[in-house]
Amino acid sequence: MGPTPLHVNPIFEIGPVEPTFSEWLVFEGISVDESGRQHFLDATVAYKRAVLNAIDYLHKFGYSKEQAYLLLSCCPCEGRISGIVDAPNAVATLAIPTAIFDQDIRPKAAGKVPVGPRVVRKPDVLKCSYDGNLPTTKNPGSS
C-alpha cells in the first residue's frame, strides 16, 4: 500500500447515491487569473476560475454572488480536472445539476436570460414583524 504504515493510498468504490441527475450545466476555467496572468498548469487557479464563472452566471438569474457561492458549497456539484495536457494551461470544470433549480437556467439566445429570484434591497423589508409569540408543542413523553 505505501512505503510505511503511515503512508497509505486508500482505494474505494462508492455505491449508488440518490438522487441521480441526468442534466448538468458545466462551467470551465483555465489557469489564467483575474488579472490575466497565466499560471503554468495550475489546476487550483483553473478550478477557481470555473467556480467564479458559475457564480457570475448564476448572478444573471437574480442570485446575489453570496447566494450563488453558498449554493455551490452545498449543492451536489461535480468538480473535475479536465485537462492538463494543453501546456501551459490547466483546465478544470464544475458541473451543476439543472434539476436543483426551480427555473430553467440553461443558456438561451443572446439577451434572453430569464428573471429568477431577486434580492430585495428595500430598507423596510429587513424589519422584523416577530411579536414574541411562537406556537409551542408539548412532548407527550416528557414529564
Side-chain angles (χ1 to χ4, degrees), residues 7 9 14 24-25 27 29 31-32 40 44 55 71 76 86 92 108 123:
H7 296 87
N9 184 14
I14 58 172
W24 301 79
L25 194 56
F27 299 90
S31 55
V32 177
F40 186 78
T44 304
I55 289 171
L71 175 71
D86 297 325
K108 305 287 183 278

Side-chain angles (χ1 to χ4, degrees), residues 28-31 41 43 46 80-87 89-93:
E28 183 178 88
I30 61 172
S31 55
L41 294 179
R80 298 183 180 174
I81 296 174
S82 302
I84 55 170
V85 295
D86 297 325
N89 293 320
V91 179
T93 54

Side-chain angles (χ1 to χ4, degrees), residues 37-113:
R37 183 171 166 244
Q38 211 289 317
H39 296 264
F40 186 78
L41 294 179
D42 192 336
T44 304
V45 173
Y47 189 72
K48 176 184 173 185
R49 294 302 311 156
V51 171
L52 291 174
N53 289 338
I55 289 171
D56 287 343
Y57 183 80
L58 292 174
H59 183 65
K60 294 176 185 176
F61 288 85
Y63 295 99
S64 70
K65 292 193 176 190
E66 294 83 2
Q67 288 173 324
Y69 178 85
L70 290 172
L71 175 71
L72 294 176
S73 71
C74 63
C75 80
C77 58
E78 292 186 9
R80 298 183 180 174
I81 296 174
S82 302
I84 55 170
V85 295
D86 297 325
N89 293 320
V91 179
T93 54
L94 175 71
I96 305 171
T98 58
I100 67 170
F101 295 95
D102 59 354
Q103 61 179 315
D104 186 8
I105 64 161
R106 294 175 296 175
K108 305 287 183 278
K112 302 280 187 184
V113 176

